[in-house]
Amino acid sequence: MLIKKELASVPVLPMPEGDWSKGSWRPTYIPTAQIVELEKSGRILAVDYYEGLNQKLYSRFFCDGSNYIVYNVEKKVWRSGYPYPGCSGYYSGAVASIDRANDVCRKFFQADNKWCRGIEEVNHFIYQKGAAKRDAARENLNALMEKHMQMFPEYPENFKEYCSEHVFQNNYIFFGKKDRKGIRTAWCSHCGSKITIDQAVASGKETTCPVCHKLSMYKATWLTKELSEKADICISYKVDNQLLIRWAHVKRWYGQPSFKEKYSAEDYAFSLYLVVKGAPKLYTYKYFKSPYGYGAEWHRLPIGSDCDDKSYVYTDNLDEVFGTSYYNVNLKAGIEGRNIQIQFVHLLNELKNSPKAEYLFKLGLPALASSASCIDGDPDGQGMFQRQIGVTKQYLPMLRQMDVTAYELGVIKKANEWVSPELLRMYRNFHLCGRAMTLGDVIEEVGLSRALHYLEKQRKSHPKESAGKLLVEYRDYLRMSKELRVDLSHKSVLLPSDVVEAHKTITARYNAALEEIKMIEGEKLNSEFQKKVNEHYSRLGITGFQKDGYCIVLPQLRTDLIKEGQSLNHCVGGESYYRSCMMGVNMIFFVRKADDPKKPFFTMEMDVTVGRIKQLYGFGDCSAPKEVKAFADAFSRHVRGKTRRKTA
């Protein structure tokens, strides 16, 4: 047992003699070591670390062979961990090699590693103690996780039937080839009934099953190898008066030769709202797959975290679990039969904490109710609905019938024009949820209807490009045109026939103009930019990043962005990107090959507040290959980790 008062009485050995400032390598720390016998603590190894630069005592390490403790001399605190920063395992490159200290440490630890300096046994001992604690903690965590998972009942008895009826909306009538009499035999995937077809039929054509009257689609068995559909579903339970929720990936498929309906379900998240020692405690476990294909495993999220995934909700037992009046609403009645995916836990929390959520849910808007706190109303609006939602009540039928989300409601508000169901369906077909700000910028210039119809036309001209990328290029085209004072009053200029070519043309003009700006105001802009971005880098703790043959280069000058845009023929040198970097939210990073960090390769725009990659393009806005995307994802996780530690 280590007694702090007794350890403090151990005399400090003087720093070893030597001129440590000479030579090409100056050690950061210089150690001394001794073995002492203490009355209560027993046989102790004491190692003192001096700073090589100012030769002051930095820390003291004490160990009895089973336990250890470190004393920080400057802060006058006892702690665990390594005796100096930047070390792990055996590695002690920053510490000088002193023969006497090496011999003492080797003797104390009875080490026979001839390849290892004796002083490095201190770090190895600390590493092993930490590893033992981590292993024990992991075993305890796994045991608790298994216990929690065993609390969940089996899937409901009618689970397959429920999914077939309420989750997977498509039904099929499979038909074979004609027999000698010209008759086809077919069968319905929903009711299983055999059907005789004596007329011409085409695979993919819609029909209605004559037995169960379900809207279905014809599928030729000889043209279909396997037909599969996937969905996520959330199921709630009440066990020992405690709430348990599970999320599962569900797959329905039909395969040769019988094309019978088959199901599989795989759990991927569990949340347990338990009472532990009289206090509520939320445990959430999630199944994560490695992005590099190295396997997958269950992880426990931080205590109090929940699963916010969108999914279908199993409604048959909601009355049993939540009652018929959960915070004044009937969950089952409000969700059943709607065939929507919602963030169920968000809905529960919103109903608990927000009167607006109750109001929206009772109006038949569960999707909006699950995001009630994110919806801004119109305080000057006419009537309660507009004051709560921010749009007129004329939209209520569409909001209810189409289960409009908070993102979509935001688009409707920005439109400044009447948004019809047809226009909303067009927006949904483009899958632009992650491009809300980009679409908002375009809407301000041309309006929603014109923007979506223009985007639809461009998709036909560029079928291999995503709608999101085309939208970004159009937004950048408009921005650069305005900065260059291009007359956008002409329709052919405002809506160019080919947005990709127009973007390339305006980018070339823009970069040329920026070159002139660089000559006039370069030094001033460079100085301002360098000062601001370095403040942000320091605040975020970002110093660079390297992995798998790639590295991150941090832009230092305004002209760095301009040169990057000119070299890769894209618009990162534009005013908007420069200003965003200065603000420290959406920042630009250069992705380079580690063996050639000066050569432009790919450019990344990231929202550093959450570590989310917004854009990642190479020459001419080409998409990044999977290995570059993997590196960028690793850097985004690195930034997220830095941000969380800064805000913790």
Side-chain angles (χ1 to χ4, degrees):
M1 182 177 181
L2 299 174
I3 309 299
K4 294 178 183 177
K5 288 185 179 180
E6 197 174 34
L7 298 176
S9 67
V10 175
V12 177
L13 293 180
M15 190 179 80
E17 295 181 359
D19 191 351
W20 304 105
S21 62
K22 289 185 178 180
S24 59
W25 179 76
R26 175 188 294 170
T28 307
Y29 301 99
I30 303 163
T32 65
Q34 59 181 320
I35 299 174
V36 296
E37 291 285 347
L38 300 178
E39 182 180 351
K40 296 180 179 180
S41 300
R43 183 171 178 265
I44 298 295
L45 170 66
V47 183
D48 299 325
Y49 291 88
Y50 288 87
E51 292 184 83
L53 184 63
N54 56 29
Q55 301 183 3
K56 290 183 179 180
L57 184 62
Y58 178 78
S59 66
R60 307 192 72 191
F61 168 85
F62 300 96
C63 178
D64 63 1
S66 299
N67 302 291
Y68 78 94
I69 195 168
V70 174
Y71 180 70
N72 186 298
V73 176
E74 182 182 357
K75 297 181 179 179
K76 298 180 180 180
V77 294
W78 295 91
R79 60 176 178 80
S80 60
Y82 293 100
Y84 57 90
C87 58
S88 62
Y90 269 115
Y91 182 69
S92 298
V95 177
S97 183
I98 308 297
D99 290 341
R100 186 180 184 284
N102 287 333
D103 293 340
V104 170
C105 292
R106 192 174 285 112
K107 177 182 177 182
F108 181 83
F109 290 112
Q110 298 179 352
D112 57 359
N113 294 328
K114 302 299 182 183
W115 56 270
C116 171
R117 294 183 298 160
I119 191 66
E120 292 176 340
E121 293 292 343
V122 172
N123 289 351
H124 184 56
F125 178 84
I126 295 172
Y127 174 80
Q128 287 182 316
K129 294 296 289 186
K133 289 181 180 179
R134 288 191 294 272
D135 290 342
R138 190 178 298 112
E139 288 179 7
N140 292 335
L141 176 64
N142 289 338
L144 182 62
M145 179 171 65
E146 184 148 350
K147 176 184 175 182
H148 283 163
M149 289 184 177
Q150 289 175 353
M151 293 175 63
F152 281 82
E154 296 293 330
Y155 286 96
E157 291 183 3
N158 69 335
F159 183 67
K160 292 182 181 179
E161 293 77 9
Y162 183 87
C163 290
S164 181
E165 188 72 28
H166 300 287
V167 176
F168 299 108
Q169 294 297 293
N170 296 322
N171 294 297
Y172 305 97
I173 292 181
F174 296 101
F175 63 90
K177 294 184 178 181
K178 294 180 180 179
D179 59 16
R180 293 179 179 179
K181 297 180 179 180
I183 303 297
R184 298 181 189 273
T185 300
W187 56 96
C188 175
S189 67
H190 182 260
C191 64
S193 301
K194 286 190 176 182
I195 305 165
T196 300
I197 302 176
D198 57 359
Q199 58 186 3
V201 63
S203 187
K205 182 181 178 181
E206 288 189 350
T207 185
T208 301
C209 174
V211 179
C212 65
H213 306 292
K214 282 281 186 180
L215 184 66
S216 307
M217 182 182 295
Y218 282 120
K219 286 289 180 181
T221 56
W222 67 91
L223 297 177
T224 308
K225 291 183 179 179
E226 180 179 288
L227 185 65
S228 64
E229 300 164 292
K230 296 179 181 179
D232 295 337
I233 190 167
C234 165
I235 311 172
S236 304
Y237 305 92
K238 201 168 190 179
V239 177
D240 296 332
N241 208 32
Q242 300 180 109
L243 175 63
L244 310 182
I245 305 178
R246 79 181 337 143
W247 285 261
H249 298 305
V250 183
K251 178 182 177 181
R252 181 179 76 169
W253 77 97
Y254 309 87
Q256 293 181 341
S258 63
F259 285 95
K260 289 185 178 179
E261 185 178 73
K262 298 179 181 179
Y263 272 90
S264 66
E266 181 182 19
D267 293 323
Y268 75 90
F270 294 98
S271 283
L272 302 93
Y273 297 78
L274 307 180
V275 177
V276 181
K277 296 180 180 179
K281 205 166 188 179
L282 168 59
Y283 295 91
T284 296
Y285 302 93
K286 256 192 146 179
Y287 191 69
F288 289 98
K289 293 184 178 180
S290 167
Y292 306 108
Y294 299 143
E297 59 181 331
W298 286 94
H299 292 271
R300 189 177 78 186
L301 302 186
I303 300 296
S305 302
D306 53 33
C307 178
D308 60 357
D309 290 11
K310 276 189 174 183
S311 65
Y312 293 97
V313 179
Y314 180 79
T315 59
D316 280 6
N317 68 342
L318 288 185
D319 283 351
E320 176 187 338
V321 176
F322 296 97
T324 57
S325 182
Y326 176 84
Y327 291 95
N328 303 317
V329 304
N330 187 316
L331 288 172
K332 181 178 180 179
I335 302 175
E336 189 174 37
R338 299 192 70 91
N339 190 244
I340 58 171
Q341 299 182 64
I342 61 173
Q343 294 169 296
F344 186 59
V345 172
H346 279 202
L347 175 62
L348 298 179
N349 291 334
E350 291 283 6
L351 289 170
K352 179 180 178 181
N353 300 311
S354 172
K356 182 186 289 188
E358 178 187 340
Y359 174 74
L360 292 172
F361 194 88
K362 288 181 176 178
L363 282 175
L365 304 172
L368 289 181
S370 67
S371 303
S373 58
C374 302
I375 299 173
D376 294 325
D378 180 4
D380 300 323
Q382 298 295 318
M384 175 64 74
F385 186 85
Q386 189 169 355
R387 288 197 292 270
Q388 291 286 336
I389 313 302
V391 296
T392 66
K393 201 168 184 178
Q394 291 173 301
Y395 275 113
L396 179 58
M398 184 181 79
L399 299 181
R400 184 182 288 154
Q401 292 165 12
M402 299 185 69
D403 290 303
V404 172
T405 65
Y407 273 117
E408 293 168 343
L409 181 62
V411 172
I412 292 172
K413 291 178 181 179
K414 289 179 181 177
N416 288 324
E417 61 180 285
W418 176 256
V419 178
S420 65
E422 293 73 25
L423 196 59
L424 185 59
R425 290 191 191 94
M426 182 183 292
Y427 166 77
R428 286 180 171 180
N429 290 336
F430 289 132
H431 305 290
L432 297 173
C433 284
R435 302 285 186 182
M437 293 183 64
T438 304
L439 181 61
D441 293 339
V442 173
I443 288 174
E444 288 182 6
E445 300 297 330
V446 301
L448 178 63
S449 178
R450 183 181 259 185
L452 294 180
H453 283 93
Y454 179 69
L455 197 57
E456 185 176 47
K457 180 180 177 182
Q458 295 303 313
R459 278 286 299 276
K460 292 178 181 177
S461 301
H462 302 279
K464 293 184 179 181
E465 299 291 350
S466 68
K469 183 179 179 182
L470 293 172
L471 181 66
V472 169
E473 294 210 347
Y474 184 50
R475 187 273 312 272
D476 289 343
Y477 166 80
L478 293 173
R479 281 185 176 179
M480 289 185 286
S481 296
K482 289 184 71 176
E483 289 182 33
L484 291 173
R485 294 189 172 89
V486 174
D487 186 1
L488 294 173
S489 62
H490 300 284
K491 184 179 179 180
S492 60
V493 181
L494 181 66
L495 302 168
S497 58
D498 190 326
V499 71
V500 174
E501 289 302 318
H503 184 273
K504 290 179 180 178
T505 302
I506 202 70
T507 297
R509 287 180 57 189
Y510 195 76
N511 287 334
L514 290 176
E515 184 67 26
E516 186 176 348
I517 292 173
K518 183 190 73 171
M519 297 294 293
I520 299 172
E521 301 181 0
E523 291 303 321
K524 180 182 176 182
L525 294 176
N526 279 340
S527 177
E528 292 176 353
F529 183 84
Q530 186 175 39
K531 179 181 177 182
K532 282 288 186 183
V533 296
N534 279 312
E535 286 177 2
H536 299 315
Y537 298 151
S538 176
R539 170 177 57 82
L540 295 165
I542 300 175
T543 58
F545 186 74
Q546 186 168 332
K547 182 181 175 70
D548 299 333
Y550 301 104
C551 66
I552 291 293
V553 173
L554 305 177
Q556 293 291 328
L557 304 173
R558 168 73 175 101
T559 49
D560 288 345
L561 299 183
I562 297 174
K563 290 177 181 177
E564 183 85 353
Q566 291 174 334
S567 298
L568 297 180
N569 194 32
H570 56 46
C571 55
V572 76
E575 186 75 12
S576 60
Y577 294 107
Y578 155 66
R579 293 294 178 191
S580 293
C581 281
M582 295 273 282
M583 292 174 66
V585 178
N586 297 321
M587 300 192 70
I588 299 296
F589 301 100
F590 300 157
V591 178
R592 303 283 169 83
K593 293 182 179 179
D595 57 1
D596 194 3
K598 293 185 179 180
K599 183 178 179 180
F601 185 48
F602 275 84
T603 310
M604 178 195 311
E605 182 186 12
M606 180 188 293
D607 181 347
V608 295
T609 60
V610 293
R612 182 173 67 85
I613 298 172
K614 301 186 70 177
Q615 297 188 69
L616 179 63
Y617 295 130
F619 183 83
D621 284 331
C622 70
S623 300
K626 62 180 181 180
E627 58 270 14
V628 174
K629 289 180 180 177
F631 169 76
D633 289 339
F635 178 60
S636 71
R637 291 193 296 272
H638 173 73
V639 173
R640 269 199 307 274
K642 294 280 187 181
T643 304
R644 286 172 181 167
R645 286 193 288 273
K646 291 286 182 181
T647 56

